Amino acid sequence: MAILITGGCGFIGSHTCIEMLAAGYDIVVLDNYYNASPIALQRVKELSGRDFPFYECDIRDEAGLRKIFAENKIDAVIHFAGLKAVGESVQKPLEYYDNNVGGTVTLCRVMAEAGCKRMIFSSSATVYGMSNPSPLLETYHTGEVTNPYGRTKYIIEEILKDVCVSDPAWSVVLLRYFNPIGAHESGRIGENPNGIPNNLMPYISQVAIGKRPFLSVFGDDYDTPDGTGVRDYIHVVDLAKGHVRATDFALKNTGAEVFNLGTGKGTSVLELVKTFERVNGVAVPYKVTPRRPGDIATCYSDPHKAEAVLQWKTEKTVEDMCRDTWRWQSQNPNGFEE
């Protein structure tokens, strides 16, 4: 029994590879290296002590996908592969729709041909939009997204639900992530953004190591305890373990199910900065700048469904997230460049 992991060299994908192997699964990894490094794959093999097949392939490459399914007995797919930068998606919407939506349609078509009808999809809390109150429940309405990246996640969720309606043999688990941060405790793999980081934690760690002069805090006048935006940060290893439980579930059930993967607790930008400074003994200079359009004050999950159905909940603290991020950043100041 093998699980195909698309985008398996990326930040969340590489950590999930390790946890899937630790849980006894065999894996096959696909990545086109657009936003990832082959060094991550080497380190996954070192950390796990396991070897596994790898294919350099794009999810839009139908012939390449067919080859993977022909050469391996794939029982389920964990689907991470996709473009993921909000700002870039506004500049390049057609690329995002072509890659994320078009690639998923191609992947589903090849899966169906191969008789593999189980998928765990990497979705996002962005599908909840801006009008739902926190804590966010899986039953809340979705679709009021504010950028093409988020819209691709919403559209793919709807496509996969439609697939399950059309063919009851399909099993799809839609995992809505909140804010993954942290790194593997070894310091060997972690988040390795290209260029200027889009997300808060890698920006904090790059300021701490001196690669960037200061952190811009976008607004300190929100209706929150300290005026800065509140988000639900989840350790990437906890998130990866959620994919193991979701795979267990998908192999035993049919239909489409949605789960939030978060801690259920909100942490403000300044709380995260101060925790990072405290646990790591480093300074993170910051400047308050105007709010970004589209940002909301507070966003955090209600994770109780995942706990009840998948028997999954987070174990790691914000301190763990900060400590593990700094271990990765300080040991790998230039990411996976060796």
Side-chain angles (χ1 to χ4, degrees):
M1 179 183 291
I3 310 299
L4 175 64
I5 302 180
T6 75
C9 297
F11 174 45
I12 304 170
S14 58
H15 288 81
T16 299
C17 287
I18 288 176
E19 297 305 325
M20 290 294 289
L21 292 166
Y25 281 102
D26 293 322
I27 64 172
V28 176
V29 175
L30 169 160
D31 207 298
N32 66 358
Y33 291 139
Y34 177 82
N35 214 357
S37 167
I39 297 170
L41 203 68
Q42 295 169 19
R43 294 187 179 181
V44 167
K45 292 180 178 181
E46 291 168 14
L47 290 166
S48 65
R50 298 270 303 276
D51 199 4
F52 45 84
F54 170 76
Y55 293 82
E56 187 173 350
C57 180
D58 192 291
I59 53 170
R60 295 167 293 182
D61 178 358
E62 201 157 335
L65 292 175
R66 284 202 179 100
K67 181 175 187 287
I68 294 170
F69 280 89
E71 293 179 358
N72 302 274
K73 175 70 175 73
I74 306 294
D75 292 278
V77 176
I78 302 178
H79 181 29
F80 293 109
L83 302 176
K84 61 177 186 176
V86 169
E88 184 184 62
S89 78
V90 176
Q91 304 299 321
K92 302 177 178 179
L94 295 180
E95 288 186 28
Y96 272 68
Y97 289 117
D98 177 48
N99 187 90
N100 295 7
V101 179
T104 301
V105 170
T106 300
L107 175 61
C108 286
R109 188 183 299 121
V110 174
M111 287 174 65
E113 286 175 9
C116 175
K117 298 182 179 181
R118 299 181 179 100
M119 179 186 283
I120 296 86
F121 174 59
S122 166
S123 192
S124 166
T126 57
V127 301
Y128 288 113
M130 299 183 65
S131 59
N132 285 307
S134 290
L136 292 161
L137 288 160
E138 290 89 349
T139 51
Y140 285 178
H141 70 271
T142 57
E144 292 179 22
V145 287
T146 57
N147 57 75
Y149 161 75
R151 205 163 286 115
T152 66
K153 294 295 188 184
Y154 169 70
I155 291 168
I156 292 167
E157 282 199 5
E158 295 302 301
I159 289 170
L160 294 174
K161 291 175 190 173
D162 289 342
V163 167
C164 290
V165 171
S166 72
D167 182 351
W170 275 84
S171 174
V172 170
V173 180
L174 307 172
L175 297 179
R176 293 177 182 161
Y177 310 162
F178 280 72
N179 295 73
I181 60 174
H184 192 268
E185 64 182 9
S186 66
R188 296 287 288 158
I189 59 170
E191 191 166 7
N192 184 37
N194 290 334
I196 298 171
N198 293 296
N199 298 323
L200 176 60
M201 184 58 105
Y203 211 109
I204 289 173
S205 65
Q206 288 192 11
V207 170
I209 206 166
K211 292 185 79 168
R212 304 195 181 277
F214 62 89
L215 170 73
S216 294
V217 175
F218 298 112
D220 65 350
D221 56 351
Y222 287 103
D223 183 17
T224 62
D226 63 17
T228 63
V230 169
R231 297 293 182 268
D232 187 341
Y233 296 99
I234 175 173
H235 198 294
V236 66
V237 172
D238 280 334
L239 184 63
K241 290 177 178 177
H243 290 76
V244 177
R245 297 299 174 86
T247 303
D248 297 341
F249 179 86
L251 291 170
K252 296 172 185 170
N253 295 276
T254 56
E257 283 287 348
V258 180
F259 297 97
N260 288 333
L261 293 187
T263 65
K265 303 184 190 76
T267 302
S268 77
V269 173
L270 287 184
E271 279 182 292
L272 192 65
V273 169
K274 289 169 182 173
T275 302
F276 192 95
E277 290 182 321
R278 175 171 54 80
V279 302
N280 297 314
V282 294
V284 180
Y286 67 87
K287 294 181 182 177
V288 176
T289 59
R291 293 185 183 189
R292 287 186 303 195
D295 276 354
I296 58 176
T298 301
C299 175
Y300 62 94
S301 68
D302 183 324
H304 288 101
K305 182 181 176 184
E307 183 175 354
V309 179
L310 302 181
Q311 286 77 58
W312 170 91
K313 64 178 179 178
T314 59
E315 298 173 353
K316 293 181 179 287
T317 65
V318 174
E319 285 81 2
D320 294 328
M321 301 174 206
C322 292
R323 194 176 295 111
D324 291 341
T325 298
W326 181 239
R327 187 181 298 112
W328 153 254
Q329 180 72 75
S330 57
Q331 291 180 15
N332 304 269
N334 298 309
F336 285 114
E337 294 176 21
E338 289 189 328

